[in-house]
Amino acid sequence: MFVFKSRRPFEAPVTVDVPKADGSFDSHTFIGKFIVLPDDERRSLSENAGGGDKGAKAVLDASLIGWGADLTDESGHPLPFSPENKAALLGDTAIFLALNVALATGLIGKDAVRAKN
């Protein structure tokens, strides 16, 4: 049985592919904590931000509600969840893209995301 709950939280792995000088990538994964936004709210956030990357960033800003202790700072300490740290993550292209994939995958499943792309 499925019980509907508005704004339900979920966790999803976020895999960030960090480019290296030689053209290869290092992959790193942390747990992202998200909330499902009602469709009208998600659309409004995206449209009010102008759509595209700005719209996606607005949706992520509202949807990302935390992360696991496996996301650390340069010293290896867990990165605290704060508006400043969230803005820094959303401002990093590789992390922004990884968060988008994690949010979509968490909502509709990895096979559906692969089929869409």
Side-chain angles (χ1 to χ4, degrees), residues 59-115:
V59 170
L60 272 173
D61 188 45
S63 300
L64 182 64
I65 59 170
W67 49 72
D70 52 348
L71 177 57
T72 63
D73 62 18
E74 293 177 15
S75 302
H77 298 101
L79 186 69
F81 183 77
S82 69
E84 296 80 17
N85 287 337
K86 180 164 60 166
L89 293 182
L90 294 178
D92 181 292
T93 301
I95 299 170
F96 169 73
L97 294 171
L99 285 165
N100 263 318
V101 170
L103 177 60
T105 301
L107 290 172
I108 62 175
K110 66 181 178 184
D111 292 337
V113 171
R114 277 194 215 124

Coordinates of all heavy atoms in Angstrom, one line a residue, residues 59-115:
V59 N 15.3 25.1 -7.9 CA 14.6 23.8 -7.4 C 15.5 23.1 -6.5 O 15.1 22.6 -5.4 CB 14.2 23.0 -8.6 CG1 13.7 21.6 -8.2 CG2 13.1 23.7 -9.4
L60 N 16.8 22.9 -6.9 CA 17.7 22.2 -6.0 C 17.9 22.9 -4.6 O 18.0 22.3 -3.6 CB 19.1 22.1 -6.6 CG 19.3 20.9 -7.5 CD1 20.7 21.0 -8.2 CD2 19.3 19.6 -6.7
D61 N 17.9 24.3 -4.7 CA 18.1 25.0 -3.4 C 16.9 24.7 -2.5 O 17.1 24.6 -1.3 CB 18.1 26.5 -3.7 CG 18.5 27.3 -2.5 OD1 19.4 26.9 -1.7 OD2 17.8 28.3 -2.3
A62 N 15.7 24.6 -3.0 CA 14.5 24.2 -2.2 C 14.5 22.8 -1.9 O 13.9 22.4 -0.8 CB 13.3 24.7 -2.9
S63 N 15.0 21.9 -2.7 CA 14.9 20.5 -2.5 C 16.0 19.9 -1.7 O 15.7 18.8 -1.0 CB 14.9 19.7 -3.9 OG 13.8 20.2 -4.7
L64 N 17.1 20.4 -1.7 CA 18.3 19.9 -0.9 C 18.1 20.3 0.5 O 18.2 21.5 0.8 CB 19.6 20.4 -1.5 CG 20.9 19.8 -0.9 CD1 21.0 18.3 -1.0 CD2 22.1 20.5 -1.5
I65 N 17.9 19.4 1.4 CA 17.7 19.7 2.8 C 18.8 19.2 3.7 O 18.7 19.4 5.0 CB 16.3 19.2 3.3 CG1 16.2 17.7 3.1 CG2 15.2 19.9 2.5 CD1 15.0 17.0 3.8
G66 N 19.8 18.6 3.2 CA 20.9 18.2 4.0 C 21.8 17.2 3.2 O 21.6 17.0 2.0
W67 N 22.8 16.7 3.9 CA 23.7 15.7 3.4 C 24.3 14.9 4.5 O 24.3 15.3 5.6 CB 24.8 16.3 2.5 CG 25.5 17.5 3.0 CD1 26.4 17.5 4.0 CD2 25.4 18.9 2.6 NE1 26.9 18.8 4.3 CE2 26.2 19.6 3.4 CE3 24.6 19.5 1.7 CZ2 26.4 21.0 3.3 CZ3 24.7 20.9 1.6 CH2 25.6 21.6 2.4
G68 N 24.9 13.8 4.1 CA 25.5 12.9 5.1 C 26.8 13.4 5.6 O 27.5 14.3 5.0
A69 N 27.3 12.7 6.6 CA 28.7 13.0 7.2 C 29.8 12.6 6.2 O 30.9 12.9 6.5 CB 28.8 12.3 8.5
D70 N 29.4 11.9 5.1 CA 30.4 11.5 4.1 C 30.8 12.6 3.2 O 31.6 12.5 2.3 CB 29.9 10.3 3.4 CG 28.5 10.4 2.8 OD1 27.8 11.4 3.1 OD2 28.2 9.6 1.9
L71 N 30.2 13.8 3.3 CA 30.6 15.0 2.6 C 31.4 15.8 3.6 O 31.0 16.3 4.6 CB 29.4 15.8 2.1 CG 29.7 17.2 1.4 CD1 30.6 16.9 0.2 CD2 28.4 17.9 1.1
T72 N 32.7 15.9 3.3 CA 33.7 16.5 4.2 C 34.3 17.8 3.6 O 34.3 18.0 2.4 CB 34.8 15.5 4.6 OG1 35.5 15.2 3.4 CG2 34.2 14.3 5.2
D73 N 34.9 18.6 4.5 CA 35.7 19.7 4.1 C 37.1 19.3 3.8 O 37.4 18.0 3.8 CB 35.7 20.8 5.1 CG 36.3 20.4 6.5 OD1 37.1 19.4 6.5 OD2 36.0 21.1 7.5
E74 N 38.0 20.2 3.4 CA 39.4 19.8 3.0 C 40.2 19.2 4.1 O 41.1 18.5 3.9 CB 40.1 21.1 2.5 CG 39.5 21.6 1.2 CD 40.1 22.9 0.8 OE1 41.2 23.2 1.2 OE2 39.6 23.5 -0.1
S75 N 39.7 19.4 5.4 CA 40.4 18.8 6.5 C 39.9 17.4 6.9 O 40.4 16.7 7.8 CB 40.3 19.7 7.8 OG 40.7 20.9 7.5
G76 N 38.9 16.9 6.1 CA 38.3 15.6 6.4 C 37.2 15.6 7.4 O 36.7 14.6 7.8
H77 N 36.8 16.8 7.9 CA 35.7 16.9 8.9 C 34.3 17.0 8.1 O 34.3 17.6 7.0 CB 35.8 18.1 9.7 CG 37.1 18.1 10.6 ND1 38.2 18.8 10.2 CD2 37.4 17.4 11.7 CE1 39.2 18.6 11.1 NE2 38.7 17.7 12.0
P78 N 33.3 16.4 8.7 CA 32.0 16.5 8.0 C 31.6 18.0 7.8 O 31.8 18.8 8.6 CB 31.0 15.9 9.0 CG 31.9 14.9 9.8 CD 33.2 15.6 9.9
L79 N 31.2 18.3 6.5 CA 30.8 19.6 6.2 C 29.4 19.9 6.8 O 28.4 19.2 6.4 CB 30.8 19.8 4.7 CG 30.5 21.2 4.1 CD1 31.7 22.1 4.4 CD2 30.3 21.1 2.6
P80 N 29.3 20.9 7.6 CA 28.0 21.2 8.2 C 27.0 21.7 7.1 O 27.4 22.4 6.2 CB 28.3 22.3 9.2 CG 29.8 22.4 9.4 CD 30.4 21.8 8.2
F81 N 25.8 21.3 7.3 CA 24.7 21.8 6.4 C 24.4 23.2 6.8 O 24.0 23.5 8.0 CB 23.5 20.9 6.4 CG 22.5 21.4 5.5 CD1 22.6 21.1 4.1 CD2 21.3 22.1 5.9 CE1 21.6 21.5 3.2 CE2 20.4 22.5 5.0 CZ 20.5 22.2 3.6
S82 N 24.6 24.2 5.9 CA 24.2 25.6 6.2 C 23.9 26.3 4.9 O 24.3 25.7 3.8 CB 25.4 26.3 6.8 OG 26.5 26.5 5.9
P83 N 23.2 27.4 4.9 CA 22.9 28.1 3.7 C 24.2 28.5 2.9 O 24.2 28.4 1.7 CB 22.2 29.4 4.1 CG 21.6 29.0 5.4 CD 22.5 28.0 6.1
E84 N 25.2 28.8 3.6 CA 26.5 29.2 2.9 C 27.1 28.0 2.2 O 27.6 28.1 1.1 CB 27.5 29.8 3.9 CG 27.0 31.1 4.5 CD 26.0 30.9 5.7 OE1 25.9 29.8 6.2 OE2 25.3 31.9 6.0
N85 N 27.2 26.8 2.9 CA 27.8 25.7 2.3 C 26.9 25.1 1.2 O 27.4 24.6 0.2 CB 28.0 24.6 3.4 CG 29.2 24.9 4.3 OD1 30.0 25.7 4.0 ND2 29.2 24.4 5.5
K86 N 25.6 25.2 1.4 CA 24.7 24.8 0.3 C 24.9 25.6 -1.0 O 25.0 25.1 -2.1 CB 23.3 24.8 0.7 CG 22.3 24.3 -0.4 CD 20.9 23.9 0.0 CE 20.1 25.0 0.7 NZ 18.7 24.6 0.7
A87 N 25.0 26.9 -0.8 CA 25.3 27.8 -1.9 C 26.6 27.5 -2.6 O 26.7 27.6 -3.8 CB 25.2 29.3 -1.4
A88 N 27.6 27.2 -1.8 CA 28.9 26.9 -2.3 C 28.8 25.6 -3.2 O 29.4 25.5 -4.3 CB 30.0 26.7 -1.2
L89 N 28.1 24.6 -2.7 CA 28.0 23.4 -3.5 C 27.2 23.6 -4.8 O 27.6 23.1 -5.8 CB 27.2 22.3 -2.7 CG 28.0 21.7 -1.5 CD1 27.1 20.7 -0.8 CD2 29.3 21.2 -1.8
L90 N 26.1 24.4 -4.7 CA 25.3 24.7 -5.9 C 26.1 25.5 -6.9 O 25.8 25.6 -8.1 CB 24.0 25.3 -5.5 CG 23.0 24.5 -4.7 CD1 21.8 25.3 -4.3 CD2 22.7 23.2 -5.5
G91 N 27.1 26.3 -6.4 CA 27.9 27.1 -7.3 C 29.0 26.4 -8.0 O 29.7 26.9 -8.8
D92 N 29.3 25.1 -7.6 CA 30.3 24.3 -8.2 C 29.7 23.5 -9.3 O 28.8 22.7 -9.0 CB 31.0 23.4 -7.2 CG 32.1 22.5 -7.7 OD1 31.7 21.6 -8.5 OD2 33.2 22.8 -7.3
T93 N 30.1 23.6 -10.5 CA 29.4 23.0 -11.7 C 29.3 21.5 -11.5 O 28.3 20.9 -11.8 CB 30.1 23.4 -13.0 OG1 30.1 24.8 -13.2 CG2 29.4 22.7 -14.2
A94 N 30.4 20.8 -11.2 CA 30.4 19.4 -11.1 C 29.5 18.9 -10.0 O 28.7 17.9 -10.2 CB 31.8 18.9 -10.8
I95 N 29.4 19.6 -8.9 CA 28.5 19.2 -7.8 C 27.1 19.5 -8.2 O 26.2 18.7 -7.9 CB 28.9 19.9 -6.5 CG1 30.3 19.4 -6.1 CG2 27.9 19.5 -5.4 CD1 30.9 20.2 -4.9
F96 N 26.8 20.7 -8.8 CA 25.5 21.1 -9.2 C 24.9 20.0 -10.2 O 23.8 19.6 -10.0 CB 25.6 22.4 -9.9 CG 24.4 22.8 -10.7 CD1 23.2 23.2 -10.0 CD2 24.3 22.8 -12.1 CE1 22.1 23.6 -10.7 CE2 23.2 23.2 -12.8 CZ 22.1 23.6 -12.1
L97 N 25.7 19.6 -11.2 CA 25.3 18.6 -12.1 C 25.0 17.2 -11.4 O 24.0 16.6 -11.7 CB 26.3 18.4 -13.2 CG 26.5 19.6 -14.1 CD1 27.7 19.3 -15.1 CD2 25.2 19.8 -14.9
A98 N 25.9 16.8 -10.5 CA 25.7 15.6 -9.7 C 24.4 15.6 -8.9 O 23.7 14.6 -8.8 CB 26.9 15.3 -8.9
L99 N 24.2 16.8 -8.2 CA 23.0 16.9 -7.4 C 21.7 16.8 -8.3 O 20.7 16.2 -7.9 CB 23.0 18.2 -6.7 CG 23.9 18.3 -5.4 CD1 24.1 19.8 -5.0 CD2 23.4 17.5 -4.3
N100 N 21.7 17.4 -9.5 CA 20.6 17.3 -10.4 C 20.3 15.9 -10.7 O 19.2 15.4 -10.8 CB 20.9 18.1 -11.7 CG 20.3 19.5 -11.6 OD1 19.2 19.6 -11.2 ND2 21.0 20.4 -12.1
V101 N 21.4 15.1 -11.1 CA 21.2 13.7 -11.4 C 20.6 12.9 -10.2 O 19.7 12.1 -10.3 CB 22.5 13.1 -11.9 CG1 22.4 11.6 -12.0 CG2 22.9 13.7 -13.2
A102 N 21.2 13.2 -9.0 CA 20.7 12.5 -7.8 C 19.3 12.8 -7.5 O 18.5 11.9 -7.1 CB 21.6 12.9 -6.6
L103 N 18.9 14.1 -7.7 CA 17.5 14.4 -7.4 C 16.6 13.7 -8.4 O 15.6 13.1 -8.0 CB 17.3 15.9 -7.5 CG 15.9 16.5 -7.3 CD1 15.3 16.1 -6.0 CD2 15.8 18.0 -7.6
A104 N 16.9 13.8 -9.7 CA 16.1 13.1 -10.7 C 16.0 11.6 -10.5 O 14.9 11.0 -10.6 CB 16.6 13.4 -12.1
T105 N 17.2 11.0 -10.2 CA 17.2 9.6 -10.0 C 16.4 9.2 -8.8 O 15.7 8.2 -8.8 CB 18.7 9.1 -9.8 OG1 19.4 9.5 -11.0 CG2 18.8 7.6 -9.7
G106 N 16.5 10.0 -7.7 CA 15.8 9.7 -6.5 C 14.3 9.8 -6.7 O 13.5 9.1 -6.0
L107 N 13.8 10.6 -7.6 CA 12.4 10.8 -7.9 C 11.8 9.8 -8.8 O 10.7 9.3 -8.6 CB 12.1 12.2 -8.4 CG 12.3 13.3 -7.5 CD1 12.2 14.7 -8.2 CD2 11.3 13.3 -6.3
I108 N 12.6 9.4 -9.9 CA 12.0 8.6 -10.9 C 12.8 7.3 -11.2 O 12.4 6.5 -12.0 CB 11.8 9.3 -12.3 CG1 13.1 9.8 -12.8 CG2 10.8 10.4 -12.0 CD1 12.9 10.5 -14.2
G109 N 13.9 7.1 -10.6 CA 14.7 5.9 -10.8 C 15.8 6.0 -11.8 O 15.6 6.8 -12.8
K110 N 16.9 5.3 -11.6 CA 18.0 5.5 -12.5 C 17.7 5.0 -13.9 O 18.2 5.6 -14.9 CB 19.3 4.8 -12.0 CG 19.2 3.3 -11.9 CD 20.4 2.7 -11.3 CE 20.2 1.2 -11.2 NZ 21.4 0.6 -10.6
D111 N 16.9 4.0 -14.1 CA 16.6 3.5 -15.5 C 15.9 4.5 -16.3 O 16.1 4.7 -17.4 CB 15.9 2.2 -15.4 CG 16.7 1.0 -14.9 OD1 18.0 1.1 -15.0 OD2 16.1 0.1 -14.4
A112 N 14.9 5.2 -15.6 CA 14.2 6.3 -16.3 C 15.0 7.5 -16.6 O 14.9 8.1 -17.7 CB 13.0 6.7 -15.4
V113 N 16.0 7.8 -15.8 CA 16.9 8.9 -16.1 C 17.8 8.6 -17.2 O 18.0 9.4 -18.2 CB 17.8 9.3 -14.8 CG1 18.9 10.3 -15.2 CG2 16.9 9.8 -13.7
R114 N 18.3 7.3 -17.3 CA 19.1 6.9 -18.4 C 18.3 6.9 -19.7 O 18.8 7.3 -20.8 CB 19.6 5.5 -18.2 CG 20.9 5.5 -17.3 CD 21.6 4.1 -17.4 NE 22.1 3.8 -16.1 CZ 21.9 2.8 -15.4 NH1 21.1 1.8 -15.8 NH2 22.4 2.6 -14.2
A115 N 17.1 6.5 -19.7 CA 16.3 6.5 -20.9 C 16.0 7.9 -21.4 O 15.9 8.1 -22.6 CB 14.9 5.7 -20.6

